């Protein structure tokens, strides 16, 4: 549908550099996530890659300890 990354990024409403950072797995601002979700016709929460990372107990936490 799009002939180039710049054209696709423009359609999403984001900068080309931002597109490449997201492709590398780097953090995106919520406003950027909303733009991408809007362009795809979904909610940001519907995009698995935007889900927050699961929290892991830190060493020394009393999780599971009675």
């Amino acid at each position: 549908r799009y002939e180039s990354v710049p054209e696709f990024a423009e359609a999403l409403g984001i900068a080309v550099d931002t597109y490449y950072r997201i492709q590398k797995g780097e953090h995106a601002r919520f406003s950027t996530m909303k733009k991408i979700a809007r362009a795809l016709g979904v909610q940001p929460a519907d995009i698995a890659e935007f889900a927050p990372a699961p929290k892991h107990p830190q060493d020394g936490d009393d999780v599971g300890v009675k």
Side-chain angles (χ1 to χ4, degrees), residues 34-59:
K34 287 189 334 185
K35 289 176 184 179
I36 294 169
R38 186 178 321 119
L40 296 173
V42 299
Q43 295 294 316
D46 296 332
I47 301 174
E49 290 81 0
F50 293 162
K55 294 187 178 183
H56 298 286
Q58 300 296 318
D59 291 342

Side-chain angles (χ1 to χ4, degrees), residues 10-28:
E10 182 178 343
L12 292 174
I14 64 174
V16 173
D17 289 344
T18 300
Y19 173 85
Y20 284 121
R21 283 196 306 272
I22 293 168
Q23 284 292 328
K24 291 191 311 187
E26 294 182 20
H27 176 76

